[in-house]
Amino acid sequence: MQFEVHLTAGAERDLESIYDYIAEFDSRASADHVLDRLLKAAEGLVSFPERGTHPRELQALGVREYRQVFFKPWRLVYRIIGQQIFIVLIADGRRDMQALLARRLLGE
């Protein structure tokens, strides 16, 4: 069974910010590589979206409707609704993920 993967507006902004940061402080080639790998990680969800783990920061709050996959140090956080996958956050896992997830996903 195939799923459709969608980037939310927030996830698109995340990708743009990541790309711009890497291009500015490293190189465009590195930024292209990271962007390609992040998009491949997203595309990999088409066949088996349940493979992602539940973010521990959300699990601690009893929230289990989100999952995540990694292209370290980057985390792609997504939600499965029917046959569709919505990537809601792409962030550096070294950030304060508790606060970021609470703000972005729980509106706190």
Side-chain angles (χ1 to χ4, degrees), residues 3-8 11 45 49-50 52-55 58 63-69 76-89 101 104-106:
F3 289 76
E4 290 182 31
V5 176
H6 305 277
L7 293 174
T8 63
L45 297 171
E50 292 86 8
T53 61
H54 297 285
L58 294 176
V63 177
R64 297 186 50 86
E65 54 264 4
Y66 294 95
R67 293 180 174 269
Q68 66 184 352
V69 291
L76 290 83
V77 179
Y78 62 96
R79 186 173 187 180
I80 305 167
I81 301 174
Q83 295 302 116
Q84 299 190 28
I85 299 162
F86 295 93
I87 298 176
V88 295
L89 174 73
L101 289 167
R104 179 77 65 91
L105 305 179
L106 305 177

Side-chain angles (χ1 to χ4, degrees), residues 14 18 73-76 89-95 97 100:
D14 294 340
I18 291 165
W74 311 103
R75 292 166 66 173
L76 290 83
L89 174 73
I90 302 170
D92 186 328
R94 297 170 292 193
R95 293 180 61 186
M97 291 300 288
L100 184 59

